[in-house]
Amino acid sequence: MSIFSSETGWLCLAVTAVLGGTVLCKCKSSGWLGSCICLAGLWGGACLLSLSLFWGFILFSALCFLIYTRLSGQELLPVDQKAVLVTGGDSGIGHALCKYLDQLGFTVFAGVLHEKGSGAEELRRTCSQRLSVLQLDITNPAQIKDAHSKVVQKVQDRGLWAVINNAGVLLLPADGELIPMNDYRQCMAVNFFGAVEVTKAFLPLLRKSKGRLVNIASMAGGVPMENLAAYGSSKAALTMFSSVMRQELSKWGVKVALVQPGGFRTNITGGSDTWDKLEKNILDHLPAEVQEDYGQDYILAQRNILSFMDKYSSADVSPVLRDVQHAVMAKSPSALYTPGRSVYLWLCLASFCPTAVFDYICENGFGPKKAMPRALRMPWKNKAM
């Protein structure tokens, strides 16, 4: 018997249409992806109804309810002059974030490495009176303590809504064997330990406001990438820290979000003067045997990686800004954001691909053409080794 031959059938279809329409209206502001998901759900529900009216209606209604609940959590909370702290506000993504959040109406505390630097001065000149520039070297416990005191003094009873750990260093990409231990330590000191210490200092304020902790890591923290052993390891540590804190802070009502951007053009790589110093640092710390095996030409060619990264990175950091905004303002923020081209795909490949397949993809389809160390270009030495 046709499902359309009874009043009950028509009633079920009418209710289903109302549910589906409500979900579609709800997801108008969620972009094309949400619409596609809902349309797929509607199609699946129609197929189910053609098989079994009752169970099709039940399952489809449950689907609509789940999607509606999920989309309801994406609603943005009002700004209401909420206060946020951003580290690394001198330049790059942190600088852009300070301006963006200020424009949205937040009270912004811009932590900078150089309080009298050009980046800090630009923030003072271009942003509203709500923005405060704080001297904040996140590897300096005294400066963290001082920044905390200034934040508490200004926010008073309003509290601090969000901490955005953005400050980071990359240094010169190179083979892991070539990277000096000081560079490993500096990456960990800034990218991991600094973020942890800032988090610990401001967590009492976040617990009080039931606010947000947003850690900006990197795609390199979840995807093994050649020449980024120091940087990637520090970002991987920050990634795991974020996951653990997300679980531990949920009982306090604090939501933790991790942002793993792809390639965006910032000045984290520095300029040619910085590269010269980093190259000299590498050469000065290499044992003679290692320098002989790799060859000075190979070591000096490492700066080509920076040129490649700069060439293929996006100058438009707005995807990162929008994701951080969502992490700070959404009623139910996501645990992970992956702004940038193909970032989520690479994270999935690194997690689920067989190792041999993933390594083959990286070797043949990612990065600049790789030079060979001196010893590997000399067949007679290879045989001796």
Side-chain angles (χ1 to χ4, degrees):
M1 189 173 91
S2 171
I3 62 171
F4 302 105
S5 60
S6 67
E7 293 182 358
T8 303
W10 280 107
L11 177 61
C12 288
L13 287 175
V15 172
T16 300
V18 170
L19 285 171
T22 303
V23 170
L24 284 173
C25 291
K26 190 72 177 176
C27 77
K28 279 183 179 179
S29 60
S30 301
W32 63 269
L33 181 60
S35 300
C36 289
I37 293 173
C38 290
L39 287 173
L42 289 170
W43 176 256
C47 292
L48 288 169
L49 282 171
S50 68
L51 297 174
S52 171
L53 175 62
F54 176 75
W55 288 110
F57 170 68
I58 294 298
L59 292 175
F60 185 56
S61 298
L63 173 66
C64 290
F65 175 76
L66 289 173
I67 295 176
Y68 182 87
T69 303
R70 172 62 180 168
L71 293 175
S72 296
Q74 303 308 302
E75 293 178 356
L76 299 184
L77 299 172
V79 173
D80 289 338
Q81 294 188 351
K82 290 183 172 69
V84 299
L85 170 70
V86 181
T87 65
D90 302 77
S91 60
I93 290 174
H95 188 80
L97 263 176
C98 291
K99 291 182 176 180
Y100 185 68
L101 294 173
D102 177 70
Q103 291 171 359
L104 291 174
F106 285 94
T107 298
V108 178
F109 294 98
V112 297
L113 185 61
H114 303 292
E115 189 178 10
K116 297 182 180 179
S118 59
E121 290 299 328
E122 184 181 347
L123 289 177
R124 292 189 184 98
R125 185 177 67 255
T126 60
C127 295
S128 72
Q129 294 298 315
R130 292 187 305 274
L131 184 138
S132 301
V133 174
L134 301 177
Q135 174 60 42
L136 182 55
D137 177 352
I138 64 171
T139 65
N140 187 324
Q143 290 190 15
I144 294 175
K145 183 177 180 180
D146 184 58
H148 178 270
S149 298
K150 290 178 179 177
V151 169
V152 170
Q153 183 179 7
K154 184 163 183 177
V155 300
Q156 296 182 357
D157 294 335
R158 288 190 296 123
L160 182 68
W161 176 251
V163 170
I164 303 171
N165 284 309
N166 163 78
V169 294
L170 175 64
L171 304 181
L172 186 68
D175 289 37
E177 187 179 7
L178 302 178
I179 298 174
M181 283 306 303
N182 283 341
D183 286 7
Y184 279 101
R185 293 188 183 97
Q186 186 177 356
C187 277
M188 291 299 294
V190 178
N191 299 344
F192 179 59
F193 291 122
V196 171
E197 192 153 5
V198 168
T199 299
K200 285 171 64 64
F202 287 91
L203 262 181
L205 296 178
L206 294 185
R207 288 192 285 103
K208 184 177 180 180
S209 67
K210 298 185 186 299
R212 307 293 164 83
L213 173 63
V214 182
N215 292 324
I216 300 181
S218 169
M219 168 184 171
V223 179
M225 302 174 70
E226 289 190 58
N227 308 112
L228 295 180
Y231 178 75
S233 298
S234 64
K235 290 299 188 178
L238 182 61
T239 297
M240 181 55 70
F241 174 72
S242 300
S243 298
V244 174
M245 296 306 290
R246 184 187 69 246
Q247 296 175 343
E248 293 178 352
L249 293 175
S250 62
K251 57 180 169 287
W252 294 96
V254 176
K255 294 180 171 59
V256 180
L258 174 68
V259 184
Q260 290 189 309
F264 290 94
R265 195 174 305 154
T266 67
N267 69 343
I268 192 172
T269 59
S272 57
D273 291 342
T274 303
W275 301 353
D276 291 339
K277 292 177 182 177
L278 293 172
E279 284 176 346
K280 185 178 184 302
N281 184 46
I282 288 176
L283 292 170
D284 288 347
H285 288 83
L286 278 182
E289 180 184 3
V290 175
Q291 191 167 159
E292 174 70 17
D293 286 342
Y294 278 90
Q296 193 174 65
D297 58 334
Y298 178 88
I299 297 169
L300 296 178
Q302 300 301 295
R303 69 163 58 195
N304 295 334
I305 299 167
L306 291 173
S307 301
F308 174 86
M309 291 170 62
D310 188 64
K311 180 180 179 181
Y312 289 95
S313 294
S314 172
D316 179 16
V317 298
S318 59
V320 184
L321 304 184
R322 288 194 297 268
D323 279 354
V324 173
Q325 176 193 3
H326 189 274
V328 171
M329 297 181 64
K331 184 178 178 181
S332 298
S334 301
L336 173 65
Y337 296 88
T338 56
R341 184 173 54 191
S342 304
V343 175
Y344 191 73
L345 173 61
W346 278 104
L347 288 169
C348 289
L349 288 174
S351 299
F352 302 114
C353 256
T355 304
V357 175
F358 179 77
D359 289 348
Y360 178 83
I361 294 172
C362 291
E363 181 69 24
N364 294 276
F366 187 74
K369 185 177 181 181
K370 298 177 178 65
M372 293 295 287
R374 178 175 176 271
L376 298 180
R377 300 195 305 265
M378 303 170 66
W380 62 269
K381 189 163 185 177
N382 280 337
K383 291 180 181 179
M385 293 172 67

